[in-house]
Amino acid sequence: MSSLSSQNQQQRAHDVGRRNETTWSDIDKTRLYGIGSVMYSALTVALHPLTVAKIRRQVATNNNQTTFNSGSFFQNYYRGLSVVVSLAIPARIIYISTLEFTRELIDTNTRQFIFNPPPAMAAYEKQLQSLSPFVTPFSGGIAGGMAAVSSQAIIVPMDVISQKLMVMEATKYRQKGSAVNVMKSIIATEGYGGLFRGFGLSLFTSLPAGTIWWASYAGVKDQLNHYADPNYPMEAIPVIARQGFVQVTSAFSAALAASILTQPLDTIKTRMQVAKGKPVFFSPVAVAKELASTSGLFKGLLPRIGHMGVWGSVL
């Protein structure tokens, strides 16, 4: 009887914590892929300067190369925007679909296993139920990693083309600064494989980044969600303000964790993808050793935290 009572209490606590969350089965897919794509494009445009700043800092060999010597803000900090917008939408659809479907599937089945274990595991019922606080970050982490990996086939060519535009010298950019020209140049000198330069390292980077981000986000949000409950005794603060606080805090906490822990890999990946000439084999470890004597591996960290934090807050 006490075991059943304890189980019901944990389930009720879980229900309160997740009352304000939207699951994949609740989402209107037409609105997600229609209105969501428009909103995603607008947010991509708004945050693009942060991406340009991050990329230029990561590949710069001196401080002068992080800024532009001529041209307007729009001309400089919106380089590569067209290719990013055109390819990021299908990549994002794949990412969100994989993320939300997988997260709900893992979460539901894991909780079913914990609170209703098979006969062979009945003796460990209390131990299993003690793991319930970890289900949300676990399901979020696994789903985030799978979503990040699933979208790489589109993201890598997008990164290779757009990043070359972002770091291109001003004179060359005025003459050949278009996505089509860059793509033709890559194919002519490197073959179609050049569009997928750094694919393996991109996969290796996106998996831990996605896993850390969503595990951190889900874990922090799960701990703070009770503040957003309408019945929580904080009537002086509107519910929508509390919900916003929970969302932004969770997003920036996740952005901070994921950015710091994966920034070195992201920097090495970026340098590989914008390298000139035909692709040659060189170890990412060699690049890491080259930069280890400085703070080079963490160049562009602040723009990346800001980008990921804002994305997560609006997502």
Side-chain angles (χ1 to χ4, degrees):
M1 187 71 176
S2 60
S3 175
L4 180 60
S5 175
S6 174
Q7 175 178 329
N8 290 336
Q9 287 176 359
Q10 291 187 53
Q11 287 178 314
R12 282 197 297 270
H14 167 66
D15 291 339
V16 170
R18 296 177 63 88
R19 187 175 298 166
N20 297 301
E21 293 191 9
T22 301
T23 62
W24 177 246
S25 55
D26 296 328
I27 295 176
D28 184 333
K29 308 306 186 296
T30 302
R31 290 174 63 86
L32 172 65
Y33 298 135
I35 298 176
S37 295
V38 174
M39 293 179 64
Y40 171 73
S41 299
L43 191 58
T44 299
V45 172
L47 296 178
H48 194 72
L50 285 176
T51 301
V52 175
K54 176 185 81 78
I55 297 301
R56 289 184 66 84
R57 291 182 184 182
Q58 286 179 319
V59 302
T61 55
N62 59 65
N63 292 332
N64 293 332
Q65 293 178 322
T66 63
T67 58
F68 296 94
N69 296 322
S70 62
S72 66
F73 178 87
F74 182 83
Q75 290 173 325
N76 292 327
Y77 285 95
Y78 281 92
R79 289 185 178 190
L81 178 63
S82 59
V83 66
V84 170
V85 171
S86 61
L87 293 179
I89 291 177
R92 200 67 180 178
I93 289 175
I94 293 173
Y95 184 94
I96 294 296
S97 300
T98 304
L99 170 72
E100 296 297 346
F101 175 79
T102 306
R103 181 167 57 172
E104 181 177 342
L105 181 67
I106 295 174
D107 188 276
T108 300
N109 284 280
T110 303
R111 292 186 186 279
Q112 178 67 24
F113 177 81
I114 286 177
F115 291 106
N116 298 281
M121 300 292 292
Y124 303 98
E125 183 177 6
K126 289 184 178 180
Q127 290 88 335
L128 289 172
Q129 291 178 12
S130 68
L131 299 175
S132 60
F134 303 101
V135 173
T136 298
F138 170 75
S139 59
I142 297 298
M146 293 179 65
V149 170
S150 67
S151 58
Q152 288 304 301
I154 298 176
I155 289 178
V156 172
M158 177 190 77
D159 282 346
V160 170
I161 296 172
S162 64
Q163 288 170 177
K164 284 183 178 293
L165 289 168
M166 293 174 193
V167 302
M168 193 177 287
E169 295 178 355
T171 302
K172 186 176 180 180
Y173 181 76
R174 285 192 293 269
Q175 298 173 348
K176 301 179 179 180
S178 74
V180 174
N181 286 338
V182 171
M183 183 177 68
K184 288 181 178 179
S185 176
I186 293 172
I187 294 174
T189 58
E190 307 175 22
Y192 286 97
L195 296 174
F196 293 89
R197 179 188 287 222
F199 186 83
L201 188 54
S202 186
L203 280 175
F204 190 64
T205 303
S206 65
L207 180 58
T211 300
I212 294 168
W213 200 99
W214 283 105
S216 302
Y217 172 82
V220 173
K221 191 173 183 180
D222 194 51
Q223 294 299 312
L224 298 178
N225 248 349
H226 61 281
Y227 290 113
D229 191 275
N231 297 319
Y232 190 78
M234 292 182 67
E235 292 82 0
I237 303 177
V239 174
I240 190 171
R242 284 184 268 148
Q243 291 174 340
F245 167 77
V246 171
Q247 179 70 14
V248 172
T249 302
S250 302
F252 274 89
S253 297
L256 187 66
S259 295
I260 291 176
L261 294 175
T262 64
Q263 184 69 10
L265 285 175
D266 187 71
T267 299
I268 296 171
K269 173 188 72 69
T270 300
R271 289 172 65 90
M272 289 178 65
Q273 290 178 329
V274 302
K276 297 179 181 179
K278 293 185 177 181
V280 294
F281 176 83
F282 61 94
S283 171
V285 175
V287 180
K289 288 181 178 179
E290 178 185 342
L291 298 175
S293 60
T294 68
S295 59
L297 285 175
F298 288 92
K299 286 182 177 180
L301 177 62
L302 290 180
R304 189 172 182 225
I305 291 174
H307 190 282
M308 294 178 71
V310 175
W311 260 122
S313 299
V314 178
L315 187 65

